[in-house]
Every structure is written in structure tokens, then in C-alpha cells.
Amino acid sequence: LEGRPSKQHGMVEGFHCTGCDFQVMRCDGYVWAGDVDYMFFRNNYPTFEKLRRRLVRQQSCSAYCCQCSWKSAHIGAAWRDVS
């Protein structure tokens, strides 16, 4: 994806959720565990140290989230496939 910062996790500039209007966060090199739920993100977004508990290491992938939703995608996925 063009415009991605080089750090492993952080907010995606200019990428806001239309559901909750929070900025989308990306964690490179991770996917979300299968048991995450809405309340996990409500209680832990945007603190990476708290979110890390439900992140699973996976090369060539990124985990995205806001305060109301989450998605894992291949690192080369287009923005339209992540949103």
C-alpha cells in the first residue's frame, strides 16, 4: 500500500472509520486472533500494548482496527479491500 509508514504499528493517516469516526490503526506483521470481539476493541483501542494480547504474528499481513471493527489483510491489499 502506498503511503504506509515504516513503523510496525500506528494510525493510518487520513483513514477513518465511517462507523465510529475513529482513525484506523494498523499493526504490520500481525493478524487478529479468531476470538476478538467488539468489546475488546471498545476497551483496548488505540493502545498497542493492550491490543497485542489478541494479535498473532504473521509475516506479510497487517491487522487493522478502529473502536468498532477489525480486519486482517495481506500487506499488499488495496485500501478498498481493507475498508
Side-chain angles (χ1 to χ4, degrees):
L1 295 167
E2 289 187 35
R4 303 179 100 187
S6 59
K7 65 181 182 174
Q8 265 197 312
H9 62 275
M11 298 301 176
V12 181
E13 188 176 333
F15 197 20
H16 283 76
C17 175
T18 57
C20 65
D21 198 36
F22 279 85
Q23 194 168 7
V24 173
M25 183 175 186
R26 181 187 62 250
C27 304
D28 288 340
Y30 294 96
V31 295
W32 293 111
D35 63 347
V36 293
D37 61 15
Y38 173 81
M39 287 309 296
F40 173 77
F41 293 98
R42 289 285 298 171
N43 292 325
N44 296 295
Y45 169 92
T47 308
F48 177 75
E49 291 74 23
K50 292 180 180 181
L51 294 170
R52 185 178 6 208
R53 293 179 296 155
R54 304 309 318 143
L55 286 166
V56 178
R57 276 261 183 219
Q58 189 166 334
Q59 288 186 332
S60 301
C61 290
S62 292
Y64 295 86
C65 71
C66 58
Q67 201 174 43
C68 74
S69 61
W70 60 97
K71 186 165 187 172
S72 299
H74 186 271
I75 206 160
W79 287 126
R80 69 181 174 278
D81 296 331
V82 174
S83 60

